[in-house]
Amino acid sequence: MERSFYLELARSGKRFPIGAHLVLCEKPDHEARLTDGQGLGEVIAETADRFHTPLALPLMDLTIEKADLLHMIGIPADRASAYHFEACPEKDALERVLASLDSPPTPRMRANCEAIRHIATRRADLVPSGMAIGPFSLMTKLLADPITPVFMAGTGTTGDEDEDVRAVELALEMAIPAIQRGIRMQVEAGARAVCVCEPAANKVFLSPKQLEAGSDIFERLVMGSLRRIKATLDDLGADLILHDCGELTDPMVRDLATLDPAILSLGSSRQLWDDARLVPKSTVLYGNLPTKNFYSDAQVPPEAVDRLARELIRHMRAIGHPFILGSECDVLSVPGSEAPIQAKIERDRKSTRLNSSHESPSRM
């Protein structure tokens, strides 16, 4: 789509969470809908309608590609969630993935694509969107212990020198085509934008001290892989919505912005009005209310939502960067806490709209 679509969305004063999980869990058959493309598509459409956004964003479920990748190498779906490579994957694992890219997807992947097709064929007023995990984050889900070899790689150690570092490199090489496969299927189903989520690319997995000392680890393990994903999206004519809710350094944010995402979604550990200096105005900043803690009134009192929303809008107006007020991540439905979560979402939506459409577009 034209970049002006996203910029106008920001100018219009839209505010909405990534909230399909909230709506899904209201349904008595929510488990069954995970593998029912039409039922899942109805939830995604209802979510967009409820929060008054044209972006039909799916569930931010970052387990789909892992199960699909493992399925391609013979690991059944009922083992996928808990499965990890305890050592370096077998030498032929990558070849098996590459040889299986045209194989049928898992039921969850198929349902996600059918849900996108449901939106694309029945709701001309909505922008069907896809969802994908980022390569680095998928790698961390595949290995039993990714932190130690990632640190070793940060010292300059390569896979030729260490088997555990080789496991990281091989897992990344397996992750990229698996993610590209899922993206292609979603775009073929009608997705016009894909939200790529890379939350593990953060200060926990990647040592800030190593980066400050000149290590190229962020480029080697994160940015290089993401560029391949961006190239796939460009080839398919789909827009990148990039999400990283991890704790980041300024150089990390600056590097992520070089991917030229239509929207960059960041977590509440960041101050978006400071990040705006690191991000070109052609990219809309999205976020970043602390919605992960909305379930708890002790951590986020109801009145704090108003204050945080006003603070974000005031600062973003002052610097004039395109901005959409929203959640720091997907807003999960927490059993027993549905009411306070919903109340805070509604409180945000109904609070004073300091960035309303009455503001001059030139300010954004």
Side-chain angles (χ1 to χ4, degrees):
M1 294 185 295
E2 294 293 331
R3 188 58 63 94
S4 58
F5 167 80
Y6 301 97
L7 297 174
E8 183 55 38
L9 197 62
R11 291 189 187 100
S12 72
K14 288 287 186 183
R15 55 173 65 185
F16 53 86
I18 301 173
H21 190 261
L22 284 177
V23 178
L24 174 68
C25 289
E26 295 172 358
K27 311 301 180 186
D29 61 343
H30 60 273
E31 288 288 343
R33 288 186 186 236
L34 293 175
T35 52
D36 171 10
Q38 178 175 332
L40 195 56
E42 291 170 352
V43 164
I44 295 169
E46 182 180 339
T47 303
D49 291 340
R50 179 179 301 185
F51 299 123
H52 306 291
T53 171
L55 288 175
L57 289 165
L59 296 172
M60 192 182 281
D61 187 339
L62 305 187
T63 66
I64 305 299
E65 287 89 353
K66 179 185 177 183
D68 197 54
L69 184 158
L70 293 176
H71 176 72
M72 288 188 274
I73 62 173
I75 308 299
D78 60 355
R79 293 181 57 198
S81 177
Y83 186 89
H84 298 94
F85 292 103
E86 298 293 338
C88 189
E90 297 178 7
K91 293 181 179 179
D92 68 342
L94 176 58
E95 286 72 20
R96 291 162 66 190
V97 169
L98 295 175
S100 303
L101 293 177
D102 292 329
S103 63
T106 59
R108 289 290 310 279
M109 180 73 80
R110 181 184 300 110
N112 281 2
C113 293
E114 291 172 351
I116 292 169
R117 187 171 290 109
H118 175 87
I119 299 292
T121 57
R122 301 193 184 192
R123 291 294 303 269
D125 58 322
L126 297 178
V127 176
S129 305
M131 189 70 65
I133 191 172
F136 184 82
S137 296
L138 179 50
M139 176 275 293
T140 67
K141 291 179 177 293
L142 291 171
L143 301 182
D145 174 24
I147 293 180
T148 301
V150 167
F151 182 85
M152 293 176 62
T155 67
T157 304
T158 68
D160 292 335
E161 301 167 312
D162 184 88
E163 189 75 359
D164 291 335
V165 175
R166 174 60 182 155
V168 168
E169 295 173 351
L170 184 56
L172 270 176
E173 286 302 311
M174 295 166 64
I176 292 167
I179 293 166
Q180 290 169 325
R181 156 186 157 99
I183 286 173
R184 288 192 184 97
M185 288 191 290
Q186 292 180 80
V187 173
E188 288 170 1
R192 298 168 66 187
V194 177
C195 181
V196 177
C197 306
E198 196 65 291
N202 61 48
K203 295 194 293 186
V204 173
F205 284 97
L206 299 147
S207 166
K209 290 184 178 180
Q210 287 183 336
L211 294 171
E212 290 169 6
S215 172
D216 66 348
I217 193 64
F218 196 70
E219 173 61 33
R220 282 171 56 198
L221 298 187
V222 178
M223 294 304 302
S225 301
L226 282 174
R227 288 194 184 93
R228 291 168 65 179
I229 299 302
K230 177 61 160 58
T232 296
L233 288 167
D234 289 346
D235 289 344
L236 295 170
D239 299 325
L240 171 63
I241 298 172
L242 183 59
H243 170 78
D244 189 340
C245 58
E247 291 195 24
L248 306 172
T249 65
D250 285 1
M252 289 177 179
V253 174
R254 185 182 292 110
D255 284 350
L256 292 173
T258 65
L259 295 168
D260 190 32
I263 296 176
L264 179 58
S265 166
L266 299 173
S268 60
S269 64
R270 302 296 303 180
Q271 289 189 328
L272 294 187
W273 53 91
D274 287 337
D275 288 337
R277 62 190 166 83
L278 310 173
V279 179
K281 287 191 175 182
S282 55
T283 291
V284 174
L285 283 169
Y286 173 88
N288 60 354
L289 293 174
T291 47
K292 291 179 183 177
N293 293 323
F294 270 16
Y295 71 93
S296 168
D297 284 349
Q299 295 190 60
V300 183
E303 62 275 10
V305 177
D306 297 332
R307 175 179 55 79
L308 292 170
R310 285 196 293 267
E311 181 181 43
L312 268 164
I313 295 169
R314 183 174 65 253
H315 281 291
M316 295 307 290
R317 281 184 59 201
I319 61 173
H321 194 103
F323 167 64
I324 296 172
L325 182 68
S327 52
E328 68 173 325
C329 197
D330 59 332
V331 186
L332 296 177
S333 177
V334 179
S337 299
E338 295 89 350
I341 293 172
Q342 290 282 9
K344 288 168 188 173
I345 294 294
E346 288 303 309
R347 189 176 186 117
D348 162 45
R349 291 182 57 234
K350 293 177 180 178
S351 62
T352 304
R353 295 176 65 98
L354 297 180
N355 62 338
S356 72
S357 57
H358 298 296
E359 297 295 332
S360 170
S362 63
R363 295 294 300 278
M364 300 291 280

